Amino acid sequence: MDTPSPYPFDRLRTEATAVLAATGLVAADAVTLAEPKANVPADLAFPVFAAAKVAGVAPPVFARQIADAVTLAPDSLLATVEAAGGFVNFAVRPEAFASAVLESVAARVDSYGEDKTIGAGDTVIVEYSSPNIAKKLHVGSLRTTVIGHSLYLILKALGYTVVGDNHLGDWGTQFGYILAAIHDNNLAPWDDPDPVAALMKIYADINTAAETDPTIKDAARAWFRKLEEGDPWARETWGRIITLSLAEFEKTYSRLDITFDTQVGESFFEPVLDAVIQEAVDKGVAMVEPGGPVAIDFDDKLPSCLLRKTDGGTLYQTRDLATLLYRWNEYHPARNIYVVGAEQRLHFQQVFEIARRMGYAEIADRSVHIPFGMVTKADGDRFRTRKGEVIFADEILDEAAVRAEAVMREQIAGGRSEVSESEITGVSEILGIGAVIYSDLYQGTDRNIAFDWDKMLALNGNTATYNQYMYARCRSILRKAGETGNANATLLMEPEEQAVLKQLARLPQSVRDAGDKFSPAIVAEWTYTLAKEFGRFYDKCPVLTAPIEELKAARLALVAATAQGLKNGLALLGIRVPERM
C-alpha cells in the first residue's frame, strides 16, 4: 500500500523552513513557525525576533532582508512571502493547496487526521470511568468516561499503544456491609429484576441502620476480614456482585460505544499491599507509628497521609501506589494518565510524591492527573432526584434520546428532515448521546459543566447536533448528486472554498495539540469551526446548481471531504454521525 503524501500544512512548514534556511540568514533549527493572527492575510508566520537578536539587526529590518532573499519554486505550495514588522509571512498557492488537501483526505479517508509517528508505538495507560462495584454509573461517572474515552481515541490516532483501564472499585469495607446484610437477612439481590438497584438499597439500608446500632459496623468489619481471608461464601457472593455490576455497566458502555482493554479492580492489588508498605518503610519513606499505623510525612510539601490504618486496613493511597508500581513494572508506559475528578487532586499529588521518594521518579514524572469539574443542571444545582439521590447515567442518556426525538419530529413535521419513521429511534439515540458527550468535551475538562438541554440539542451553535446536522447535509448533497466526474480542485478559488480547505488541513495539528495537552476540547473546536465554514460555503457557493459541471464536481469533492472531516473529528470525541437528519 502506498504511503500517503505528507499533510498539506506539514508540507507548507517543511517548504517554508527550507526556503528560510536557503537564504543563509537563519539556520533551519532556529526556525519556529506559527499560525498568524486572524486579521493577518497569511497562512504561516516566522517570528524573527530571536534570530534578529543573534544577527544584531532590528527585527523589522531583518524580516525584510529574509523576505527579499527567499526564492519560491514554481511548484511550491507557497505563493508569496512578505515581511510585516518582526514577522515573515507566507501565503499558500490556492489552486495547488486545494488539490493537496482533497488528495490528502481522499487518500486517508477514516484515518485522515491521524499521525502515528508521534507515539510510534509507545505505551500509554488511560484510567477512566472506574466505577464502584454494587452501584450504577451515575451522572458524575459520565465525565470521566467521556473524557477518558476521547483521550484514548486521540492518543491511539497519534500512534500510541493505548491501554484503556477501567480501574474498578471492588474492595473495601463497603463490601463487608453488603455481605453482612445479605448473610444475616438471607437476601438474594440477584433474583431481583434490577439486581444492582437491589444491592444499592441493601447498602443504603444497612448504613442507615448502622448509624444507631454499632454492632452492625463490627459485623461489617468482620465480614470484610472474612472476604480478605478468603472465606468461601464471602468470596463467592462478592464474585456474584461483581458479575452483576459489570453486566449493568456494560449496558451504559454499549450505548456509548466504549470497550476497555483491561478491567482490573482494587482487589487485584490486595496481595501485594503489605510488600508495598514494607518497601516504603524500608526505604525510610514511611514510618510505623505507635499502635501500628504507617504514615508518611511530606515535610510541609503536602499534608501527611497513611498507608495503613491502626486496624490494619489500607487506604486509597496504598492501593493506588501499588497500582502505579504494577503499571511501571508491567507496561513501562510513556504516560500513565488518570481521568479523575478535581476533588482527588491532593490524593494523586501524594501518590506520585510517595513513588518519587521510593525511587520511582520516572513513573511518577510520567503520571498525569486530568482533573475535571462537576456536572450540574442549567441553574448550577447538582443533579439529584426528589429523594436527594444521585441521577444515574442511563437516565441522562434516556432523557437526551427522548428530547432528541422531539427535535427530530419537529423537523419532520416542518418538512425539514429526510428521516423516516423507522429511523427515528436510531437517529435520536445517536443525536441524544452525541449531545451529552459533546456538551462535556467542548467546554474543557477543568470546568464544571451545566446540562442545558435546549442548548445541547440546538441545530445551530456549538453543539454536537449542529455538527451532525452539517455532516448529514453533506451526505444529502452527495446522494442527490449521484455519480460525479473527476474533480478539478484548482477551480476552488472562492474565499469560502479556501476557508473550508484550510480548516480541513488543520485537523492533523489539532489532533496533535489535543494529545499533547490532553484536551479533547481542541478537536471539538476544530470540528465546530469546520461546520461553520462549511455553512458559509454552502450559503455562498452553489453546489448542485454550480454554473458549470466541472465546478460542480470540484465542489462536490469539497463536500465529500468536509463530510469525512466532520465524521473523523466527531469520531475522536466518541460521537457517531447519522446519514440523515
Side-chain angles (χ1 to χ4, degrees):
M1 183 175 179
D2 294 336
T3 302
S5 300
Y7 285 116
F9 264 127
D10 292 344
R11 289 175 57 189
L12 287 175
R13 292 185 182 95
T14 299
E15 288 187 24
T17 300
V19 297
L20 288 168
T23 65
L25 297 172
V26 58
D29 59 6
V31 174
T32 301
L33 296 166
E35 189 162 329
K37 294 181 180 179
N39 60 342
V40 176
D43 300 298
L44 278 179
F46 170 48
V48 306
F49 303 99
K53 185 176 181 180
V54 171
V57 180
V61 175
F62 196 58
R64 286 195 298 274
Q65 290 176 351
I66 292 176
D68 291 342
V70 165
T71 301
L72 298 176
D75 60 348
S76 173
L77 283 181
L78 298 169
T80 62
V81 53
E82 295 178 351
F87 295 85
V88 176
N89 292 331
F90 295 90
V92 302
R93 192 179 303 280
E95 64 278 12
F97 187 73
S99 297
V101 173
L102 294 189
E103 288 169 6
S104 186
V105 178
R108 292 172 170 85
V109 197
D110 287 346
S111 65
Y112 181 75
E114 295 180 357
D115 184 352
K116 301 289 189 179
T117 67
I118 301 296
D122 286 349
T123 297
V124 169
I125 297 170
V126 183
E127 178 187 311
Y128 61 105
S129 198
S130 306
N132 290 321
I133 294 296
K135 293 183 179 180
K136 294 190 177 189
L137 291 170
H138 54 80
V139 66
S141 305
L142 280 174
R143 289 222 73 185
T144 170
T145 305
V146 164
I147 295 166
H149 184 54
S150 182
L151 287 175
Y152 177 95
L153 297 170
I154 289 167
L155 292 168
K156 205 165 187 178
L158 292 173
Y160 290 97
T161 300
V162 189
V163 178
D165 188 349
N166 194 11
H167 189 69
L168 303 167
D170 66 349
W171 204 247
T173 308
Q174 69 268 29
F175 291 100
Y177 281 93
I178 296 173
L179 292 172
I182 291 174
H183 183 273
D184 295 348
N185 297 290
N186 196 28
L187 301 175
W190 30 84
D191 293 334
D192 193 278
D194 192 345
V196 176
L199 285 166
M200 294 176 68
K201 186 176 187 305
I202 288 170
Y203 182 63
D205 288 348
I206 194 171
N207 263 276
T208 300
E211 293 175 2
T212 55
D213 185 353
T215 64
I216 293 177
K217 294 181 180 179
D218 294 336
R221 283 192 286 267
W223 271 109
F224 184 56
R225 279 197 298 274
K226 289 182 181 181
L227 179 62
E228 289 181 300
E229 293 164 0
D231 177 89
W233 182 86
R235 286 280 173 162
E236 179 186 357
T237 305
W238 172 73
R240 294 182 78 173
I241 293 169
I242 291 175
T243 299
L244 291 170
S245 301
L246 290 176
E248 181 67 27
F249 298 154
E250 181 55 31
K251 294 176 187 176
T252 306
Y253 294 143
S254 178
R255 294 181 74 180
L256 295 168
D257 208 17
I258 290 175
T259 57
F260 295 92
D261 300 299
T262 180
Q263 295 193 104
V264 174
E266 292 181 86
S267 62
F268 179 83
F269 302 98
E270 187 67 16
V272 303
L273 295 183
D274 286 343
V276 169
I277 293 171
Q278 190 59 51
E279 182 180 352
V281 171
D282 292 344
K283 290 181 174 179
V285 176
M287 181 174 293
V288 181
E289 296 188 337
V294 177
I296 294 181
D297 184 355
F298 293 100
D299 307 317
D300 298 328
K301 183 174 182 177
L302 294 167
S304 61
C305 71
L306 294 175
L307 289 182
R308 178 178 284 142
K309 296 183 287 188
T310 302
D311 64 5
T314 57
L315 297 96
Y316 287 123
Q317 282 90 340
T318 325
R319 296 190 283 274
D320 271 348
L321 177 62
T323 305
L324 184 76
L325 301 186
Y326 169 82
R327 288 174 179 169
W328 179 239
N329 293 323
E330 186 72 13
Y331 298 105
H332 271 73
R335 283 291 186 185
N336 177 40
I337 301 167
Y338 299 82
V339 183
V340 182
E343 68 277 4
Q344 295 298 322
R345 196 185 306 269
L346 173 61
H347 166 80
F348 285 108
Q349 289 174 341
Q350 291 173 326
V351 171
F352 300 161
E353 182 61 21
I354 295 168
R356 188 174 288 107
R357 294 184 180 200
M358 288 175 65
Y360 300 102
E362 198 167 359
I363 183 58
D365 293 340
R366 294 182 184 187
S367 295
V368 181
H369 173 214
I370 309 297
F372 56 83
M374 296 187 303
V375 180
T376 69
K377 295 184 291 186
D379 60 7
D381 287 344
R382 291 193 179 195
F383 271 100
R384 295 191 182 279
T385 64
R386 293 176 185 174
K387 295 181 179 180
E389 298 166 351
V390 72
I391 296 289
F392 299 132
D394 270 335
E395 293 177 305
I396 292 290
L397 299 182
D398 289 344
E399 177 76 4
V402 168
R403 289 175 178 265
E405 182 171 337
V407 172
M408 287 308 307
R409 290 196 178 279
E410 184 179 337
Q411 290 293 106
I412 293 170
R416 298 183 297 274
S417 174
E418 298 178 346
V419 176
S420 66
E421 184 66 30
S422 64
E423 295 173 312
I424 289 178
T425 299
V427 171
S428 298
E429 178 82 351
I430 291 173
L431 297 182
I433 290 176
V436 171
I437 294 173
Y438 192 87
S439 179
D440 186 317
L441 296 181
Y442 92 91
Q443 301 184 70
T445 60
D446 55 338
R447 299 176 54 181
N448 293 341
I449 65 165
F451 268 53
D452 185 322
W453 291 110
D454 291 337
K455 287 184 179 178
M456 285 169 58
L457 290 161
L459 286 166
N460 48 54
N462 197 357
T463 67
T465 314
Y466 174 72
N467 291 322
Q468 290 165 319
Y469 174 68
M470 284 302 184
Y471 171 82
R473 174 176 279 185
C474 289
R475 299 303 304 164
S476 175
I477 294 168
L478 295 170
R479 281 193 299 272
K480 291 175 182 176
E483 293 294 326
T484 60
N486 294 327
N488 180 2
T490 63
L491 298 176
L492 299 173
M493 300 290 286
E494 293 292 335
E496 293 80 9
E497 295 166 336
Q498 287 288 311
V500 173
L501 289 160
K502 289 176 183 179
Q503 184 61 17
L504 274 168
R506 291 186 177 98
L507 178 57
Q509 190 58 46
S510 294
V511 178
R512 294 170 191 146
D513 291 345
D516 183 58
K517 298 175 182 177
F518 308 116
S519 177
I522 293 172
V523 174
E525 181 62 27
W526 176 87
T527 306
Y528 175 52
T529 303
L530 177 61
K532 286 193 300 183
E533 295 295 356
F534 175 77
R536 295 188 182 104
F537 153 74
Y538 185 74
D539 289 341
K540 180 70 184 296
C541 304
V543 179
L544 298 176
T545 59
I548 58 172
E549 282 299 313
E550 198 175 15
L551 181 57
K552 175 183 173 181
R555 287 178 176 171
L556 283 170
L558 182 56
V559 171
T562 301
Q564 189 68 58
L566 290 170
K567 178 184 176 184
N568 292 6
L570 290 170
L572 290 169
L573 304 177
I575 297 172
R576 291 173 292 164
V577 288
E579 289 299 303
R580 293 176 174 81
M581 275 184 70

